Amino acid sequence: MLDSPINRNEIIKVFPGLKNDKFFKIEDSSPNYNCIAWAAHVTDCWWDKLPHGNRPSIRFDGVKVDWPFDVDFEFSTRVLIEIFTQLSFVICEDGEYEDGFKKVVIYEKDAEATHMARQLTNSTNKGIWTSKLGGWFRITHESPLTIEGNAYGVATIFMKKSMS
Amino acid sequence: MPFIIDLPPVDYQNDNTKIEHVVVNGEKNIPSVDFDVFKIDRDIFEDVYFQEKFESLVSAWKGNTVFQSSISKIIEDDNFVEMLKMNKKALLPLIINEIEREPSILVWALNIITGQSVSTKQRYTIEDVCKRWVKLYREQKINFI
């Protein structure tokens, strides 16, 4: 079972803040996409650059090789902001739910981008957050804060996009 | 009501151990040795060694990187790099068996080892490419560089 106590405990070991998160739920275990793709509603490939030095001699299967748009070839907060700006997001103050907007957040650890999460806007899950944990599980969580810690560092940049 | 079994004490008689010395009278009496048996034993030992080393490295790699979204961080993990250094002939079937059991991004190790990709113009998912790699391996269509 996907949302089993065993799986939940495995995740809580990495993200202890989820222990008391009443919206923590495991939704998917597909290896097909990563957090950045999921923040952009993509579920059939990984969004990443290829490691320097290996490009283009090794092409990884199941990966969207180049960044989605004509942005710099690096996995950084600056570039993630640029990608999501091209997807019509703008930087905003925080992760509070705002009617008519969808929000994403970028995490940083040791000044490096590590993760992205997205706020849900449908009627049943309005305001809670969803994260794809690398090639591992996809989860929901109450706020960006509950997955902060050693793995992803802290939520630093919030962006929003009008749904109208 | 519990059912208790009382076993009789074991009667060890170490002093009764008998040691036999075989006296060989000339080479003709030396029993023949089937060296193939040793070879099979060695092959089994190597298989078990590679299997255990592989499982240990993959487990440690997953522990370190399972939540990572950066491919660089995932494939530059020490355990992943160490795994890629294993004997490729032994490593290939181990990876194939693992991605057949559970499709995963471990498939990228095959891209690195073989220098090949099974993706075509059509975009495949990780699960799709795992199935394709397994099929190609079973059909003996995978070549090393």
mmCIF file of all heavy atoms in Angstrom, chain A residues 7 14 16 19 25 29 32 36-37 45 51 63 66-67 72 77 81 83 95 117-119 131-132 134 153:
data_model
loop_
_atom_site.group_PDB
_atom_site.id
_atom_site.type_symbol
_atom_site.label_atom_id
_atom_site.label_comp_id
_atom_site.label_asym_id
_atom_site.label_seq_id
_atom_site.Cartn_x
_atom_site.Cartn_y
_atom_site.Cartn_z
ATOM 1 N N ASN A 7 6.129 3.156 4.593
ATOM 2 C CA ASN A 7 6.563 4.213 3.670
ATOM 3 C C ASN A 7 6.562 5.582 4.354
ATOM 4 O O ASN A 7 7.468 6.393 4.151
ATOM 5 C CB ASN A 7 5.646 4.249 2.440
ATOM 6 C CG ASN A 7 5.866 3.048 1.532
ATOM 7 O OD1 ASN A 7 6.887 2.368 1.641
ATOM 8 N ND2 ASN A 7 4.916 2.785 0.656
ATOM 9 N N VAL A 14 13.602 11.211 6.766
ATOM 10 C CA VAL A 14 14.318 12.239 5.990
ATOM 11 C C VAL A 14 13.736 13.630 6.259
ATOM 12 O O VAL A 14 14.457 14.623 6.277
ATOM 13 C CB VAL A 14 14.244 11.913 4.472
ATOM 14 C CG1 VAL A 14 15.042 12.936 3.662
ATOM 15 C CG2 VAL A 14 14.764 10.511 4.197
ATOM 16 N N PRO A 16 11.655 15.069 9.131
ATOM 17 C CA PRO A 16 11.011 14.905 10.450
ATOM 18 C C PRO A 16 9.839 15.854 10.676
ATOM 19 O O PRO A 16 8.942 15.559 11.474
ATOM 20 C CB PRO A 16 12.135 15.195 11.441
ATOM 21 C CG PRO A 16 13.386 15.341 10.677
ATOM 22 C CD PRO A 16 13.079 15.380 9.230
ATOM 23 N N LYS A 19 6.128 14.653 10.636
ATOM 24 C CA LYS A 19 5.574 13.761 11.671
ATOM 25 C C LYS A 19 4.224 14.268 12.179
ATOM 26 O O LYS A 19 3.299 13.482 12.383
ATOM 27 C CB LYS A 19 6.574 13.638 12.817
ATOM 28 C CG LYS A 19 6.265 12.517 13.764
ATOM 29 C CD LYS A 19 7.353 12.341 14.799
ATOM 30 C CE LYS A 19 6.989 11.189 15.725
ATOM 31 N NZ LYS A 19 7.979 11.031 16.795
ATOM 32 N N LYS A 25 0.463 13.062 3.117
ATOM 33 C CA LYS A 25 -0.106 11.872 2.493
ATOM 34 C C LYS A 25 0.775 11.488 1.300
ATOM 35 O O LYS A 25 1.272 12.371 0.598
ATOM 36 C CB LYS A 25 -1.524 12.176 2.020
ATOM 37 C CG LYS A 25 -2.304 10.966 1.586
ATOM 38 C CD LYS A 25 -3.699 11.343 1.146
ATOM 39 C CE LYS A 25 -4.398 10.138 0.567
ATOM 40 N NZ LYS A 25 -5.627 10.471 -0.142
ATOM 41 N N SER A 29 4.317 6.944 -6.472
ATOM 42 C CA SER A 29 5.707 6.503 -6.300
ATOM 43 C C SER A 29 6.387 6.349 -7.654
ATOM 44 O O SER A 29 7.338 5.594 -7.795
ATOM 45 C CB SER A 29 5.758 5.179 -5.540
ATOM 46 O OG SER A 29 5.087 4.188 -6.285
ATOM 47 N N ASN A 32 9.118 8.510 -12.777
ATOM 48 C CA ASN A 32 9.154 9.147 -14.098
ATOM 49 C C ASN A 32 9.392 10.650 -14.111
ATOM 50 O O ASN A 32 9.617 11.218 -15.176
ATOM 51 C CB ASN A 32 7.843 8.858 -14.852
ATOM 52 C CG ASN A 32 7.708 7.389 -15.192
ATOM 53 O OD1 ASN A 32 8.705 6.672 -15.211
ATOM 54 N ND2 ASN A 32 6.498 6.942 -15.445
ATOM 55 N N ILE A 36 10.972 19.480 -10.063
ATOM 56 C CA ILE A 36 10.840 20.672 -10.913
ATOM 57 C C ILE A 36 9.788 20.431 -11.995
ATOM 58 O O ILE A 36 8.957 21.289 -12.281
ATOM 59 C CB ILE A 36 12.198 21.046 -11.535
ATOM 60 C CG1 ILE A 36 13.212 21.302 -10.416
ATOM 61 C CG2 ILE A 36 12.078 22.286 -12.408
ATOM 62 C CD1 ILE A 36 14.642 21.310 -10.881
ATOM 63 N N ALA A 37 9.842 19.223 -12.588
ATOM 64 C CA ALA A 37 8.825 18.868 -13.579
ATOM 65 C C ALA A 37 7.433 18.925 -12.927
ATOM 66 O O ALA A 37 6.491 19.491 -13.500
ATOM 67 C CB ALA A 37 9.099 17.474 -14.124
ATOM 68 N N CYS A 45 8.630 13.112 -17.533
ATOM 69 C CA CYS A 45 10.085 13.170 -17.667
ATOM 70 C C CYS A 45 10.697 13.998 -16.546
ATOM 71 O O CYS A 45 9.993 14.691 -15.819
ATOM 72 C CB CYS A 45 10.502 13.766 -19.016
ATOM 73 S SG CYS A 45 9.995 15.462 -19.227
ATOM 74 N N PRO A 51 24.848 16.554 -16.475
ATOM 75 C CA PRO A 51 26.068 16.957 -15.775
ATOM 76 C C PRO A 51 27.114 17.498 -16.745
ATOM 77 O O PRO A 51 27.245 16.996 -17.857
ATOM 78 C CB PRO A 51 26.556 15.647 -15.156
ATOM 79 C CG PRO A 51 25.374 14.766 -15.148
ATOM 80 C CD PRO A 51 24.531 15.157 -16.299
ATOM 81 N N VAL A 63 14.824 11.595 -19.549
ATOM 82 C CA VAL A 63 15.145 12.927 -19.042
ATOM 83 C C VAL A 63 14.979 13.939 -20.158
ATOM 84 O O VAL A 63 15.398 13.704 -21.285
ATOM 85 C CB VAL A 63 16.611 12.987 -18.551
ATOM 86 C CG1 VAL A 63 16.962 14.378 -18.052
ATOM 87 C CG2 VAL A 63 16.838 11.967 -17.470
ATOM 88 N N ASP A 66 17.728 19.128 -22.018
ATOM 89 C CA ASP A 66 18.034 20.537 -21.794
ATOM 90 C C ASP A 66 16.969 21.169 -20.933
ATOM 91 O O ASP A 66 15.850 20.677 -20.834
ATOM 92 C CB ASP A 66 18.117 21.270 -23.130
ATOM 93 C CG ASP A 66 19.363 20.860 -23.880
ATOM 94 O OD1 ASP A 66 20.424 20.787 -23.249
ATOM 95 O OD2 ASP A 66 19.259 20.597 -25.081
ATOM 96 N N TRP A 67 17.315 22.244 -20.321
ATOM 97 C CA TRP A 67 16.324 22.977 -19.575
ATOM 98 C C TRP A 67 15.195 23.364 -20.529
ATOM 99 O O TRP A 67 15.411 23.493 -21.732
ATOM 100 C CB TRP A 67 16.935 24.236 -18.967
ATOM 101 C CG TRP A 67 17.763 23.956 -17.758
ATOM 102 C CD1 TRP A 67 19.119 24.002 -17.676
ATOM 103 C CD2 TRP A 67 17.293 23.616 -16.459
ATOM 104 N NE1 TRP A 67 19.511 23.705 -16.398
ATOM 105 C CE2 TRP A 67 18.417 23.470 -15.633
ATOM 106 C CE3 TRP A 67 16.025 23.428 -15.906
ATOM 107 C CZ2 TRP A 67 18.313 23.135 -14.290
ATOM 108 C CZ3 TRP A 67 15.928 23.092 -14.572
ATOM 109 C CH2 TRP A 67 17.064 22.955 -13.778
ATOM 110 N N ASP A 72 20.175 29.658 -18.799
ATOM 111 C CA ASP A 72 21.537 29.179 -18.537
ATOM 112 C C ASP A 72 21.537 27.722 -18.109
ATOM 113 O O ASP A 72 20.584 27.231 -17.508
ATOM 114 C CB ASP A 72 22.197 30.025 -17.447
ATOM 115 C CG ASP A 72 22.638 31.367 -17.999
ATOM 116 O OD1 ASP A 72 22.628 31.525 -19.237
ATOM 117 O OD2 ASP A 72 22.964 32.257 -17.196
ATOM 118 N N THR A 77 18.956 28.651 -8.199
ATOM 119 C CA THR A 77 17.727 29.394 -7.903
ATOM 120 C C THR A 77 17.461 30.429 -8.993
ATOM 121 O O THR A 77 16.328 30.588 -9.447
ATOM 122 C CB THR A 77 17.871 30.088 -6.526
ATOM 123 O OG1 THR A 77 18.128 29.070 -5.555
ATOM 124 C CG2 THR A 77 16.608 30.839 -6.153
ATOM 125 N N ILE A 81 14.090 30.485 -11.212
ATOM 126 C CA ILE A 81 13.220 31.671 -11.265
ATOM 127 C C ILE A 81 12.971 32.051 -12.722
ATOM 128 O O ILE A 81 11.843 32.335 -13.126
ATOM 129 C CB ILE A 81 13.852 32.858 -10.492
ATOM 130 C CG1 ILE A 81 13.867 32.571 -8.983
ATOM 131 C CG2 ILE A 81 13.097 34.166 -10.790
ATOM 132 C CD1 ILE A 81 14.657 33.584 -8.160
ATOM 133 N N ILE A 83 13.087 30.093 -15.380
ATOM 134 C CA ILE A 83 12.210 29.101 -16.032
ATOM 135 C C ILE A 83 10.744 29.367 -15.662
ATOM 136 O O ILE A 83 9.862 29.402 -16.527
ATOM 137 C CB ILE A 83 12.600 27.662 -15.613
ATOM 138 C CG1 ILE A 83 13.932 27.273 -16.233
ATOM 139 C CG2 ILE A 83 11.515 26.671 -16.015
ATOM 140 C CD1 ILE A 83 14.509 25.963 -15.697
ATOM 141 N N GLY A 95 3.934 31.957 0.959
ATOM 142 C CA GLY A 95 3.167 30.816 0.466
ATOM 143 C C GLY A 95 1.729 30.788 0.954
ATOM 144 O O GLY A 95 1.068 29.750 0.865
ATOM 145 N N ALA A 117 8.334 22.953 -4.673
ATOM 146 C CA ALA A 117 7.019 22.414 -4.303
ATOM 147 C C ALA A 117 5.950 23.324 -4.906
ATOM 148 O O ALA A 117 6.229 24.467 -5.277
ATOM 149 C CB ALA A 117 6.875 22.358 -2.786
ATOM 150 N N ARG A 118 4.747 22.793 -5.003
ATOM 151 C CA ARG A 118 3.651 23.562 -5.632
ATOM 152 C C ARG A 118 2.431 23.545 -4.725
ATOM 153 O O ARG A 118 2.114 22.517 -4.104
ATOM 154 C CB ARG A 118 3.328 22.922 -6.986
ATOM 155 C CG ARG A 118 2.100 23.428 -7.673
ATOM 156 C CD ARG A 118 2.112 23.093 -9.155
ATOM 157 N NE ARG A 118 2.195 21.659 -9.448
ATOM 158 C CZ ARG A 118 1.145 20.853 -9.478
ATOM 159 N NH1 ARG A 118 -0.065 21.299 -9.201
ATOM 160 N NH2 ARG A 118 1.299 19.577 -9.793
ATOM 161 N N GLN A 119 1.736 24.657 -4.666
ATOM 162 C CA GLN A 119 0.507 24.736 -3.865
ATOM 163 C C GLN A 119 -0.678 24.240 -4.691
ATOM 164 O O GLN A 119 -0.798 24.568 -5.873
ATOM 165 C CB GLN A 119 0.252 26.178 -3.438
ATOM 166 C CG GLN A 119 -0.804 26.315 -2.377
ATOM 167 C CD GLN A 119 -0.920 27.745 -1.882
ATOM 168 O OE1 GLN A 119 -0.882 28.692 -2.666
ATOM 169 N NE2 GLN A 119 -1.063 27.912 -0.573
ATOM 170 N N SER A 131 4.714 17.883 -3.231
ATOM 171 C CA SER A 131 6.138 17.783 -3.555
ATOM 172 C C SER A 131 6.436 16.420 -4.149
ATOM 173 O O SER A 131 5.982 15.397 -3.634
ATOM 174 C CB SER A 131 6.986 17.904 -2.290
ATOM 175 O OG SER A 131 7.193 19.234 -1.923
ATOM 176 N N LYS A 132 7.238 16.395 -5.189
ATOM 177 C CA LYS A 132 7.786 15.132 -5.689
ATOM 178 C C LYS A 132 9.202 15.033 -5.126
ATOM 179 O O LYS A 132 10.027 15.914 -5.367
ATOM 180 C CB LYS A 132 7.807 15.132 -7.220
ATOM 181 C CG LYS A 132 8.324 13.839 -7.824
ATOM 182 C CD LYS A 132 7.388 12.698 -7.518
ATOM 183 C CE LYS A 132 7.694 11.409 -8.271
ATOM 184 N NZ LYS A 132 9.053 10.935 -8.245
ATOM 185 N N GLY A 134 12.337 13.788 -5.506
ATOM 186 C CA GLY A 134 13.280 13.156 -6.442
ATOM 187 C C GLY A 134 12.593 12.055 -7.224
ATOM 188 O O GLY A 134 11.482 12.218 -7.726
ATOM 189 N N GLY A 153 17.012 21.987 2.936
ATOM 190 C CA GLY A 153 17.312 23.326 3.436
ATOM 191 C C GLY A 153 16.015 24.077 3.707
ATOM 192 O O GLY A 153 15.071 23.500 4.258
#
